[in-house]
Amino acid sequence: MNLKIQTLSGYFHEYQKSVLEPEKFWGRIAETFHWKKKWDNVVDWNFEEPSVKWFVNGKMNITENMLDRHLFTSADKTAILWEPNDPNEAHRTITYQELYDLVCQFSNTLKAQGVEKGDRVIIYMPMVPEAAIAMMACARIGAVHSVVFAGFSSTALADRINDCQAKMVITSDGNFRGAKKIPVKSVVDEALENTTSVEKVITLKRTGEEVTMKEGRDLWWHEAIQGNEGPCPAEAMDSEDMLFILYTSGSTGKPKGVVHTCGGYMVYTHFTFTNVFQYQADDIFWCSADVGWITGHSYIVYGPLLAGASMVMFEGVPTYPGPDRFWQVIDKYKVNQFYTAPTAIRALQAFGQEPLEGYSLSSLKVLGTVGEPINEEAWHWYHAFVGKGKCPIVDTWWQTETGGIMISPIAGITPTKPSYATLPLPGIQLTILDDQGNELKGNSVEGNLCVKFPWPSMLRTTYGDHDRCKQVYFSMFKGYYFTGDGVKRDEDGYYRILGRVDDVINVSGHRMGTAEVENAINEHPKVVESAVVGYDHEIKGQGIYAYVIADTTDRTEENLIKEIKLTVSNIIGPIARPDKIQIVTGLPKTRSGKIMRRILRKIANGEVSNFGDTSTLLDPSVVDQIIEGALQKA
Ligand code: 6R9
C-alpha cells in the first residue's frame, strides 16, 4: 500500500520528512511497487548538467505494476469504462484481466512488426481504449511512445516523427469529435510524405471511412493482432530507461520532446493520484483530458491504472450532443472524482444551470482542475453547482515537464482558497526567485517559480538535444529548475499561479509558443513579419492576437486574414488559429531590433496608455498607428 495522507497534520509531517530525508521518504514509497531488481541509490543528481537519476540501477516494468500485479486480487475489477462520442453507441467495460490480455496481444503484435526496445512509436489516435492499450504495449516491450494529439496537422505530426525518428505510427481511420467526423489516417499519409523513418503504420478501424492502405507499410489493427494472443513477458527496464517522449511548446519556435523515464514516473504518478484525489478502492475516477496531453498520460493511463482504479475514458466533447454531456456521464457511471480544465468549466458555465437540471451528481466527492489558472467566478460555479457545495476542489498546478501534480490541495484535507493551488505536495521543494535570482524568503512575495530539489517524475532531457533542456530549464537560475511560471506566495504561505512569464501562451489550457504561431503565420507568402501575443479571453483563458505586416495589394484585408488563419490551421492545427489578426504597417521594435511585446500585449487587452518606458523604441509613432488600427477593429 502506497503512502496515503489522511490529515492536515499528516501532510505537514510527511512534507517535513520528504525534505529532511528525501531518500528515505521516496525509498519507502518505491518499495510498495514490484521491482525486478531493487535500486542501489534512491537519487543521484545535479542541476548543472543537468543529470537526474532516481532509483538508480533498479529494474522494473511499469505495466507489470499497472496490470499483472492487479490480477492476483482484482482481475475482474473494471479498469476502463469507455464512453463513446455518441451517447447512443454502446459503451465498453474492460476489466483488468481483459486489459492485460489486450495489452499483451498488442505487445506481441508490435514485436511481430519489428518494434524493439528503445524504438520510438508515434500514437496519433482518438480517445479510445486502444490508445491506452498502445501506450502500455510500448511500455511493456520497452519501446518509447510519443503520443501526438490527433488535432495536430500533418506538418506538426511530421516534425515530431522526424525529431524522434519514429519507426512506427499507430493511428485510426478517422475520429469522431462531437458532430464532426475527422479523417485521421489521411493526415498520417500526408505527414509520411515528408518523413523517412517510419516502416509500419497500424490503423484502428473507428469511423469506417475509406482510407488508402500502402502495401508493405500499412496494416489494420484488427488484422495485425490475429494470432498474437497470449502472454507477453514484460521487458526488464532500467529505472532510467525512457518511457515516453511528449512534445510541448516553449518560447522558441520548435516544440521540444520532453523525456520521462520509467521508475520515477511510476512512483510519482501513483503517489500523486492516490493522495491528491484521495482515491479509494471502489471509486470511479474520471479525467476528461485527452491522452495527447500530459494530463491524459499521468491521470488517465498511468496513475489510475497503477493504483488499480476504475476510470472513465471519454471520446467526445463537453457540449455534444448537448451542454449536459459531462453531467450525464457523471451520473451514468456514478463518477466519484472528476478532473477537468477551467476552460471547459467556463464554457459550460456560459450555458447557465439549466443543463444541470435532472442530474443528481450525488456520486461526486472530489472535483479537480488543471491546465491554467482558474478564475474565482468559475471556481465558485464549479463548487456550488457541480459539487453542490460539498466537494473539495483540487486546483492542481503542474507541467508536461514535471510529469505529475506539484502544487495542489489534498482533497478534503488541505483547506482551499479559490484560485489558489495552495501548497506543494510532499517532496516538492519550491522557491520563488526575483529576476536577479535572489530567493524571496517568507510570505507575501511574488516572483519566478522554481524548484530546488529533484522529484521522481521530473523531465530528464529534451529528446536529442540535452543542451536545450539545460538552456531552457536550468540556466536562467543556476542550480534551480525554472518553471516559466510567475507565482505569488500569500500571507498564509499559499501559492497562487499568476501565469507564464515567458513567451508561452495558454489557450484553453493548451500551451502554445508565440514564436511557433509566428513561424506558421510567416509561411503565408504575403506575410512579411508578425508578432503574436496572448490576450484575456472569457472562455479560453487566453486568446491569440496576431499583429501582421503583409502585402495587401492584390487582396482584401478580410480575405488575407482568412487565409492566414487557414495557414496556421494547416501548419500547426486548429487549436493554434489566431482569434484576432490585425494587419499593421510596422511593429514596435527597440533599436536593437527586439519586438516590445509588452506594448502589444497591452493593446491586445484594450489598454491604450501606460506603456511604461518606451524610450528605446526605434519609431514610437508605430505604436500610435497600431492603437488606431486596434480601435478601428474593436
Ligand atoms: C498539466 C499541464 C503547463 C502550464 C504551466 C502553467 C499552466 C497548469 C495550472 C496552470 C495555473 C494551474 N498551468 N496547471 N496554471 N493553475 N492549476 O497543464 O501541463 O500542458 O505542460 O502546461 O500550464 O502555466 O506552466 P502543460
Side-chain angles (χ1 to χ4, degrees):
M1 185 55 190
N2 208 319
L3 169 66
K4 185 91 172 264
I5 292 162
Q6 295 178 354
T7 59
L8 190 58
S9 61
Y11 158 74
F12 285 116
H13 180 69
E14 294 300 339
Y15 188 83
Q16 276 291 321
K17 283 204 298 197
S18 77
V19 172
L20 296 174
E21 296 180 293
E23 307 222 348
K24 204 164 146 194
F25 178 83
W26 289 115
R28 250 185 39 213
I29 294 173
E31 271 163 18
T32 63
F33 293 83
H34 173 69
W35 296 80
K36 291 175 187 281
K37 175 184 165 289
K38 204 183 159 177
W39 56 91
D40 299 333
N41 294 343
V42 172
V43 61
D44 284 348
W45 68 289
N46 76 68
F47 276 180
E48 279 73 49
E49 285 182 46
S51 161
V52 174
K53 295 190 172 106
W54 280 90
F55 313 111
V56 184
N57 293 329
K59 302 276 186 251
M60 40 69 71
N61 188 292
I62 197 166
T63 70
E64 273 186 336
N65 286 277
M66 301 164 82
L67 301 169
D68 310 47
R69 193 165 63 136
H70 303 314
L71 298 187
F72 300 109
T73 51
S74 29
D76 296 330
K77 182 174 174 181
T78 299
I80 302 180
L81 286 157
W82 178 72
E83 171 73 8
N85 178 64
D86 177 355
N88 297 319
E89 187 184 335
H91 74 271
R92 280 166 75 182
T93 304
I94 302 175
T95 66
Y96 273 90
Q97 180 69 54
E98 287 162 346
L99 191 59
Y100 167 86
D101 292 340
L102 290 166
V103 169
C104 282
Q105 185 181 30
F106 201 64
S107 305
N108 289 327
T109 306
L110 292 179
K111 280 188 181 169
Q113 295 304 328
V115 179
E116 291 172 8
K117 181 174 178 179
D119 286 342
R120 275 82 55 216
V121 174
I122 295 274
I123 299 175
Y124 185 73
M125 290 183 88
M127 283 289 291
V128 289
E130 284 76 8
I133 290 166
M135 290 164 78
M136 287 185 274
C138 288
R140 192 151 184 101
I141 67 168
V144 179
H145 62 72
S146 185
V147 184
V148 176
F149 174 62
F152 277 118
S153 71
S154 63
T155 315
L157 176 61
D159 286 348
R160 285 153 177 80
I161 292 172
N162 285 329
D163 189 77
C164 72
Q165 288 292 296
K167 193 172 184 178
M168 178 183 274
V169 176
I170 304 170
T171 188
S172 67
D173 52 355
N175 185 351
F176 292 118
R177 232 183 131 64
K180 288 186 251 168
K181 206 160 97 170
I182 298 162
V184 178
K185 171 67 162 60
S186 65
V187 179
V188 173
D189 291 339
E190 229 176 277
L192 293 188
E193 282 169 22
N194 298 308
T195 63
T196 52
S197 59
V198 174
E199 293 169 12
K200 292 274 157 66
V201 177
I202 298 184
T203 304
L204 178 81
K205 200 171 240 163
R206 175 70 190 109
T207 55
E209 64 207 78
E210 204 145 318
V211 297
T212 16
M213 297 296 270
K214 190 170 164 181
E215 180 86 40
R217 185 194 74 182
D218 294 355
L219 299 108
W220 284 108
W221 176 296
H222 59 271
E223 287 172 8
I225 58 174
Q226 293 302 321
N228 287 312
E229 299 81 1
C232 172
E235 188 73 33
M237 303 297 285
D238 189 277
S239 302
E240 285 302 330
D241 278 337
M242 255 190 275
L243 174 63
F244 65 85
I245 305 168
L246 186 58
Y247 286 86
T248 190
S249 296
S251 34
T252 52
K254 202 175 141 230
K256 40 188 187 270
V258 169
V259 170
H260 284 290
T261 58
C262 297
Y265 181 82
M266 169 177 80
V267 170
Y268 195 76
T269 51
H270 183 189
F271 172 73
T272 50
F273 172 72
T274 47
N275 279 287
V276 169
F277 300 102
Q278 291 289 298
Y279 182 83
Q280 288 171 359
D282 294 318
D283 287 346
I284 308 288
F285 178 81
W286 179 21
C287 165
S288 75
D290 189 284
V291 287
W293 313 115
I294 190 69
T295 306
H297 282 61
S298 302
Y299 301 106
I300 294 178
V301 181
Y302 288 107
L305 296 177
L306 282 164
S310 302
M311 55 86 171
V312 175
M313 186 177 192
F314 175 45
E315 184 183 33
V317 296
T319 49
Y320 180 82
D324 59 344
R325 188 67 191 278
F326 269 6
W327 324 132
Q328 184 199 335
V329 174
I330 289 172
D331 271 8
K332 176 169 177 183
Y333 298 105
K334 310 234 170 335
V335 170
N336 301 111
Q337 289 93 0
F338 178 54
Y339 191 30
T340 195
T343 189
I345 299 168
R346 286 191 297 263
L348 295 173
Q349 185 185 358
F351 290 96
Q353 288 160 51
E354 203 203 313
L356 286 150
E357 281 164 18
Y359 298 104
S360 93
L361 307 183
S362 59
S363 56
L364 287 173
K365 297 197 282 192
V366 176
L367 299 174
T369 76
V370 58
E372 56 184 313
I374 179 163
N375 48 310
E376 290 199 25
E377 209 193 331
W379 194 100
H380 285 297
W381 188 84
Y382 198 31
H383 188 256
F385 299 114
V386 182
K388 315 289 181 202
K390 66 177 177 57
C391 302
I393 293 182
V394 292
D395 176 354
T396 64
W397 174 85
W398 58 296
Q399 310 177 293
T400 304
E401 294 85 345
T402 69
I405 298 168
M406 302 284 280
I407 311 180
S408 170
I410 294 182
I413 291 171
T414 315
T416 56
K417 260 190 214 184
S419 75
Y420 277 76
T422 74
L423 299 171
L425 295 182
I428 305 307
Q429 301 190 32
L430 304 174
T431 187
I432 301 180
L433 303 181
D434 67 14
D435 288 345
Q436 286 68 47
N438 305 306
E439 264 197 65
L440 300 174
K441 300 231 159 90
N443 290 340
S444 305
V445 292
E446 209 177 290
N448 300 297
L449 178 60
C450 295
V451 192
K452 54 183 171 187
F453 193 85
W455 62 100
S457 67
M458 69 185 290
L459 88 163
R460 301 300 196 262
T461 188
T462 43
Y463 189 78
D465 192 352
H466 191 63
D467 196 51
R468 188 157 178 217
C469 171
K470 178 176 172 163
Q471 289 306 324
V472 174
Y473 305 105
F474 297 92
S475 297
M476 183 78 104
F477 303 109
K478 289 260 166 335
Y480 299 93
Y481 167 78
F482 173 45
T483 62
D485 278 311
V487 72
K488 166 177 147 181
R489 187 165 53 221
D490 77 355
E491 59 284 0
D492 300 324
Y494 267 38
Y495 290 84
R496 177 180 193 158
I497 306 298
L498 302 172
R500 302 289 302 195
V501 295
D502 53 11
D503 288 327
V504 171
I505 49 182
N506 193 324
V507 183
S508 301
H510 303 316
R511 268 167 77 169
M512 212 90 60
T514 51
E516 206 181 331
V517 182
E518 287 163 9
N519 289 346
I521 293 174
N522 298 348
E523 289 287 314
H524 188 284
K526 295 286 169 185
V527 170
V528 179
E529 198 182 357
S530 63
V532 165
V533 296
Y535 71 97
D536 297 337
H537 188 288
E538 221 175 294
I539 305 275
K540 299 178 175 186
Q542 280 190 302
I544 303 178
Y545 197 120
Y547 299 88
V548 179
I549 305 178
D551 171 6
T552 50
T553 43
D554 64 351
R555 58 199 84 187
T556 63
E557 246 187 55
E558 200 189 334
N559 281 341
L560 181 66
I561 287 171
K562 271 192 205 143
E563 289 173 25
I564 294 173
K565 288 186 177 178
L566 190 66
T567 306
V568 177
S569 275
N570 288 339
I571 292 179
I572 305 176
I575 52 173
R577 183 171 40 216
D579 299 273
K580 293 185 184 171
I581 294 179
Q582 184 182 345
I583 307 292
V584 296
T585 49
L587 292 167
K589 289 192 180 172
T590 61
R591 281 165 218 282
S592 57
K594 266 194 103 167
I595 296 171
M596 265 196 171
R597 285 165 195 284
R598 174 167 62 79
I599 294 178
L600 294 177
R601 270 194 290 268
K602 287 211 161 168
I603 299 175
N605 278 306
E607 283 180 56
V608 291
S609 55
N610 297 326
F611 291 138
D613 182 13
T614 52
S615 60
T616 55
L617 276 182
L618 187 63
D619 176 9
S621 74
V622 165
V623 177
D624 297 327
Q625 285 170 23
I626 294 178
I627 292 173
E628 213 172 290
L631 290 177
Q632 271 170 18
K633 274 177 75 86

